[in-house]
Each structure stands twice: as C-alpha cells, then as structure tokens.
Amino acid sequence: MDLIPLPHRTERAEGFFELGDGFGIEAGPGTEGTARWLRTTLGAATGFALPPKKGDEYDVLHLSVRPGLDTEEYRLVVAPHGVHVQGGSPAGVFWGVQTMLQLLGPDAFRRAPLPGRTWRLPLTEIRDAPRFRWRGVMLDVARHFMPKDGVLRHLDLLAAHKLNVFHFHLTDDQGWRVEIRKYPRLTEVGSWRARTKFGHRASPLWEEKPHGGYYTQDDIREIVAYAAERHITVVPEIDVPGHSQAAIAAYPELGNTDVVDTTALSVWDTWGVNPNVLAPTDNTLRFYEGVFEEVLELFPSEFIHVGGDECPKDQWRQSPTAQERIRELGLKDEDELQAWFIGHFDSWLTARGRRLIGWDEILEGGLAKGAAVSSWRGYAGGVAAARADHDVVMCPEQQVYLDHRQDAGADEPVPIGFVRTLEDVYRFEPVPAELTPDEARHVLGTQANLWTEVMEDRARVDYQAFPRLAAFAEVAWSGLPAPAERDFADFERRLAAHYGRLDALGVAYRPPTGPRPWQRRPGVPGRPIDGPPPNR
C-alpha cells in the first residue's frame, strides 16, 4: 500500500472488498459534510450514486465520530462486507477518507469514470494521527495573481496530502488582492501593475503587459467555505509595515510623505526589498484597523498574519514625523518603532478574540506576549521565540521555501536560491534539537512557502511545489525518525505510485528525470546560490 503521508500503523489481511453500483454511505452525526464531499468527488470518479444507507446493510461506508480518539486521529477498517472510517472529529473522518481514496488507486482522483474500471480496497486496518496541528502551505498571490479556480484547486491538492493550513499571502508591493469595501482604491489602483519583471530582479527581461487581479469579498467567502469543507483553515496575510507599496500607490497618505513624493509611486513592477514603507502615524493605524475589520469578517481563523518582515528603516530615520513618534513614545530606535507598530495590532486583534502571527522580524525590538512567529530566516528565530514562550511555525527559508531550485542542472527553470532536492525536504526536521521538551511544545507545526516572483502561472506553482510538497506533507504528518534515519528509498518507492495520483489530478509536477521541455525557461536569469544552505 503506497500511501503518502505514511500512516502510523497498518495491518493488511488477505483479500479485497469490491465496490459496486450499490455501494452507499452511512453518515453519522458530524460526518455529513464528508459524505457530501465524497458523493461529489468519488461519485464523479466512479459513476456511483453513493446513496445514503443504514448500518445493517452490506456494501456500506460507515462514517462516524468516535469519542476517545484525538481530534484529527482516524481509524480505517476495510472488512469483507463494508468499510468503516472513524475519527476523533469530523476532520479525522475526512483524513481517513483521503487515505481510503489513495487505497482505491489513482483513478479515484479523476473527474469522470473510465470504462471497464473495477473498484476494490485491500482488506486492512489503519490507525493514524498527525504529528503537528499546523501543517501549512503559504501561497503568494500578490507577486503573481492566481485566479479563484486555481486557488480552489490548490486547496484540493492540500487536502489530498492531509495539509490543513492555507496561509494566503494577499498583499505586497506588487499587488493588493482582496476587496476592502471601505477603501476601494486598494483594488481599483493597487491590484494592477503596468508590467512585470521576468526572472530574477537582476534580469533585463520584462513582460510588457499589465498584470493583476483581486478576489471580491464573495470570492473570499467561497474560498474560505471551500477550505472549511476540506478541514483547512485559511490564515490571511495583510503585510505591514513593509511590503506595502501597492497600498501606498492607492492611498499616498499612508507613506512617509515628508521623505518621498508618495503621489508619484505606482504598484511595484520588480522584485526585492522595497524602501517604501508605511508611515507610523495615527492615520495609518486607523486605516489598517478599517482593513482588518473587514478581514476579520471574511476569515474566521484564530490567527491573522501581519507580515512584519523586510521593513527597511531608512525612511523612518529620515522622517521628522517618525522621529517625533519615537521620542513621543520613549522608544530607543526604529526597531522598537516597528515593534510598537506590530504591538498595536497585536492588542487590537487580541481584543477581538484573534491572535497575531508574523515573520520572525517581529521579534526585533520586543514582541507582544500573545503573538506567534513564523520562523523563516532559519531556525534561530523559532528557537528565540519558543524560549520566550511564543508559539512558532517553523518554515526556514533554507529548508522549505519551495521557490528554491530542485536541482543544479542547467535546465532548471529560473533557478533561485539553494538546491533543495526532494530528499532534502524529506529530511527536514521542524523541531530544533536545541529546544527542551517544554520549549518544543511551542512549535505549533511547520509550513512550506511558495513565493511567486518567478512563478507566473499555476503550472509553474505545480512544478515548484510537487513532488516536494508530498515529502513535506509526510514530514508534517507522520512520526518519522531522526532525519538521517528516514527511509528515503521507501518514500521514493511509494512516490512512484503517487505520481499516478498527481497525473490524475492534473498536476504539472517536476518529473524525477528533470523538467519536461515546456517546463524549462531558457535564457531567463535566476539567482542560484552554490553550496549547502546554512543549517541554523
């Protein structure tokens, strides 16, 4: 049984259970959503109606929530006359059903039945539960916009790999992607740029056409509901105080008007760290409170991501307004000014029953007690945060930034950063060894990040994500041994079968032999970095 991620415990018996036209579903309390989802997906693949059935009938899939199991734990039993999926919650039942689909074979992931196909499950019992409660993927839709149907498809791919957090990077210098009704120019102006750098920021190439798009509030509601049906939490990111040129282009008063002519700024068309940051004024705070009020209405998630990374302080150093604010607040320097800015929104979100999370730069200058940290600049930020009693999501750039290249070959499209092979990702360990058990409890989980500067469409996102995201999913879900002791050969063997599932799902993954001709980008410069990445 070539399952990914690897289950905790599997017992196989001789024989199979065959599904026929009469196969139906008994959905216990709390499992109705999974039953509805199965009728749509498995029903499309098999052509079966999957009608409601009672427990005393044959050929039944029994779905039930079972007290005593952990929240996302499940038990899957395939017996000679039926199938049982029990979960500690509706989410556990859903993950058990995902395993059942893998057991049915790749064609279970198709959208229409193939003629002559028979459907059978091996007689087996599987007991399984995830290692981490935060098993996330960040998708940057600000640098290159992904239309709504692509986002929904991306959520399906996360669900198929038992990943349960979708970090939705919605704003940056290059585009504002969510409708805010109080401030219509954020999308009227901020969602479009005149042209786009093609390749790394040092590339001489440009795509000379407008690029952009945004999600209406109804689009966001649909995405959040679609994710929830798949037991995925959507965590929105609204970036402050850096990475904000698109917002400043729409509302110039948000920028440091006493340093630069913000009315001359447009949505940024290239990549890198942008010097134009938000002004630390009361007007800016009130503006973003208005933004977050609408964001909270759209996203019910516990955590709201506020960015906080890569905020150059040069404009604040030159700004009389910013310097007066530092003196007024009794702060030491610009780092503490950023900490004050982030702290304001931490208090604001806490008062509304939410929690702030930000990139590890929010540690600089002090961090509010309730805030959590996304540790991206290696492990050090996560270690420091955990030791200071802050919760942490481990997503170190050197390990799980999937925009980094997968191979050193010359055909690798727009090669960025260090080589991070499939095996490298499989041997990634989210919990730093130097943490004590008490400190390690602050590690909520782990996340892979997909920054889209050089990913112009969903096929490029597929290529960078897969198959490495399958390896990451196993790291996040399965209780694997220490990195050096992991059986990568067995993972590769199971992955050979998993490629068939990805094919059925239409995923444009990187083949193990290297990119296909149409996946290459000859002549488009990247920024490869030689040697092994720093492991810190």
Side-chain angles (χ1 to χ4, degrees):
M1 293 183 290
D2 301 316
L3 300 174
I4 292 177
L6 186 68
H8 175 66
R9 179 182 170 190
T10 302
E11 296 180 10
R12 175 77 164 89
E14 292 295 324
F16 293 88
F17 168 76
E18 188 163 317
L19 284 64
D21 287 337
F23 187 66
I25 301 174
E26 180 191 29
T31 71
E32 297 87 354
T34 295
R36 182 172 59 250
W37 178 85
L38 263 177
R39 290 190 179 99
T40 300
T41 54
L42 185 59
T46 61
F48 299 157
L50 304 176
K53 280 199 167 186
K54 296 181 179 179
D56 56 356
E57 299 180 72
Y58 289 131
D59 296 338
V60 178
L61 169 62
H62 308 268
L63 304 177
S64 61
V65 174
R66 177 184 173 189
L69 297 178
D70 289 342
T71 302
E72 293 187 277
E73 184 178 1
Y74 70 87
R75 182 183 178 210
L76 167 63
V77 178
V78 182
H81 301 298
V83 183
H84 298 259
V85 178
Q86 300 171 332
S89 71
V93 174
F94 183 76
W95 304 132
V97 164
Q98 289 289 350
T99 298
M100 184 192 76
L101 290 183
Q102 289 198 16
L103 291 174
L104 282 169
D107 290 343
F109 295 89
R110 296 190 180 277
R111 296 184 184 181
L114 299 181
R117 179 70 162 84
T118 59
W119 300 94
R120 63 181 193 172
L121 291 164
L123 301 184
T124 189
E125 178 175 344
I126 296 174
R127 295 173 182 262
D128 200 10
R131 180 184 179 190
F132 294 111
R133 72 179 179 97
W134 186 300
R135 306 180 302 279
V137 175
M138 188 225 67
L139 179 65
D140 165 23
V141 296
R143 274 52 177 268
H144 278 100
F145 179 65
M146 181 177 285
K148 182 186 67 178
D149 64 330
V151 174
L152 300 180
R153 171 183 176 271
H154 191 73
L155 290 167
D156 283 331
L157 296 178
L158 266 59
H161 292 83
K162 299 186 175 73
L163 296 163
N164 71 339
V165 176
F166 177 48
H167 176 168
F168 206 8
H169 184 81
L170 287 164
T171 73
D172 219 295
D173 300 300
Q174 296 85 359
W176 185 285
R177 304 294 180 218
V178 56
E179 177 190 21
I180 302 297
R181 290 174 177 166
K182 188 173 184 178
Y183 306 120
R185 285 176 61 83
L186 286 172
T187 46
E188 290 171 0
V189 174
S191 70
W192 292 91
R193 58 181 182 261
R195 63 176 187 170
T196 299
K197 176 68 71 173
F198 194 31
H200 181 254
R201 62 180 175 270
S203 167
L205 305 176
W206 293 89
E207 186 179 40
E208 297 285 354
K209 68 177 183 180
H211 175 86
Y214 67 93
Y215 310 102
T216 68
Q217 293 202 356
D218 282 343
D219 290 338
I220 294 292
R221 292 186 181 96
E222 180 182 354
I223 288 166
V224 169
Y226 194 87
E229 189 174 46
R230 289 148 182 79
H231 300 278
I232 295 170
T233 299
V234 183
V235 175
E237 181 178 353
I238 304 296
D239 225 327
V240 296
H243 287 292
S244 298
Q245 184 162 317
I248 297 168
Y251 292 91
E253 66 271 21
L254 296 173
N256 295 283
T257 57
D258 53 354
V259 177
V260 295
D261 178 9
T262 57
T263 63
L265 295 177
S266 59
V267 178
W268 213 26
D269 56 11
T270 188
W271 321 124
V273 178
N274 189 300
N276 295 299
V277 303
L278 297 174
T281 63
D282 289 342
N283 175 67
T284 301
L285 297 181
R286 300 295 88 76
F287 183 96
Y288 273 87
E289 286 171 0
V291 170
F292 281 116
E293 282 171 356
E294 296 192 28
V295 167
L296 296 191
E297 291 176 2
L298 296 170
F299 297 93
S301 55
E302 175 186 2
F303 288 97
I304 303 294
H305 208 292
V306 301
D309 62 317
E310 296 181 329
C311 178
K313 309 297 192 298
D314 292 345
Q315 290 185 359
W316 288 353
R317 292 187 187 100
Q318 299 167 30
S319 164
T321 302
Q323 292 303 309
E324 177 58 30
R325 174 65 30 121
I326 289 173
R327 286 190 294 272
E328 170 192 312
L329 296 169
L331 303 177
K332 184 173 66 176
D333 57 18
E334 290 77 18
D335 283 344
E336 287 195 357
L337 183 61
Q338 177 169 343
W340 164 81
F341 196 106
I342 296 296
H344 174 86
F345 287 103
D346 178 66
S347 299
W348 191 90
L349 289 167
T350 299
R352 288 155 182 78
R354 306 297 186 94
R355 293 183 66 188
L356 179 146
I357 186 169
W359 303 109
D360 56 53
E361 284 95 330
I362 67 174
L363 289 163
E364 298 165 3
L367 181 58
K369 184 178 179 181
V373 171
S374 300
S375 185
W376 77 274
R377 295 179 299 177
Y379 289 96
V383 170
R387 286 177 174 168
D389 289 331
H390 293 288
D391 288 339
V392 180
V393 175
M394 296 302 302
C395 49
E397 174 187 18
Q398 303 91 332
Q399 313 298 330
V400 288
Y401 269 35
L402 300 186
D403 43 297
H404 283 211
R405 56 191 174 135
Q406 303 177 64
D407 189 88
D411 287 335
E412 211 60 33
V414 199
I416 299 294
F418 297 102
V419 172
R420 290 284 83 191
T421 66
L422 180 69
E423 183 171 0
D424 290 331
V425 174
Y426 191 68
R427 298 195 189 280
F428 163 60
E429 173 48 48
V431 180
E434 60 263 46
L435 293 182
T436 67
D438 281 344
E439 293 166 346
R441 278 195 278 271
H442 282 294
V443 179
L444 300 176
T446 185
Q447 179 173 292
N449 293 339
L450 288 158
W451 299 102
T452 61
E453 286 94 336
V454 299
M455 298 183 222
E456 69 274 13
D457 55 31
R458 77 180 197 184
R460 280 288 287 125
V461 172
D462 279 2
Y463 179 89
Q464 293 299 132
F466 291 99
R468 291 184 297 180
L469 199 60
F472 173 80
E474 186 148 308
V475 169
W477 177 279
S478 305
L480 298 176
E485 299 168 10
R486 294 177 187 173
D487 191 347
F488 180 67
D490 179 69
F491 175 76
E492 281 192 305
R493 179 191 61 77
R494 288 180 285 120
L495 186 62
H498 195 66
Y499 284 128
R501 299 176 194 126
L502 297 179
D503 286 332
L505 287 162
V507 177
Y509 58 86
R510 181 189 189 276
T513 53
R516 297 180 172 96
W518 56 88
Q519 293 174 321
R520 301 168 189 163
R521 296 291 184 274
V524 182
R527 186 180 66 94
I529 303 174
D530 293 330
N535 189 21
R536 62 177 187 272

